[in-house]
Amino acid sequence: KILDLPAVEVLQTDPKFSRRWIEYSAYDAEGTWNLYSELVEKLKEMPWERRESMFDFYTRYLVPFGELLTDMERNGIHVNVTFLREAEKIARNGIE
């Protein structure tokens, strides 16, 4: 089944939709925050190296890398997802 939604601007500003949009947005933000909080705790419990945790690894490497990728796409540089997946497989095989 295909659900045809109005444009986001309409959902946000049209009184017919705005209340439900606000409720959804608040629910989504709360769910995202709860998920983030749980994942942070789990990553902090996982050892990495030199008494650091996987959360340290995440904040040191993965967050900046994710920001770099979004900056590249925002500035018009297409990221070849297929190539990136293959590079990830090669890197993971190199670790094992």
Side-chain angles (χ1 to χ4, degrees):
K1 180 178 176 181
I2 296 175
L3 183 60
D4 188 24
L5 294 175
V8 172
E9 292 173 354
V10 174
L11 291 171
Q12 292 173 338
T13 58
D14 187 327
K16 180 170 52 174
F17 301 109
S18 60
R19 179 176 174 83
R20 287 180 58 201
W21 177 261
I22 291 167
E23 289 172 358
Y24 166 78
S25 297
Y27 180 76
D28 185 56
E30 181 181 18
T32 301
W33 177 256
N34 290 337
L35 179 60
Y36 168 80
S37 299
E38 285 291 320
L39 291 175
V40 165
E41 289 308 311
K42 289 185 182 297
L43 289 173
K44 285 182 176 180
E45 293 170 2
M46 296 172 67
W48 176 39
E49 63 178 29
R50 291 185 229 130
R51 298 184 186 181
E52 293 187 285
S53 70
M54 287 303 293
F55 183 72
D56 297 313
F57 175 84
Y58 168 77
T59 56
R60 187 171 303 145
Y61 298 108
L62 297 182
V63 170
F65 183 63
E67 290 172 355
L68 169 70
L69 292 177
T70 57
D71 288 347
M72 288 169 63
E73 288 208 307
R74 188 178 308 113
N75 292 321
I77 298 173
H78 176 74
V79 174
N80 184 331
V81 176
T82 304
F83 175 80
L84 198 57
R85 285 190 183 123
E86 289 302 314
E88 179 185 19
K89 285 179 190 175
I90 292 168
R92 288 185 185 275
N93 288 337
I95 292 172
E96 296 170 353

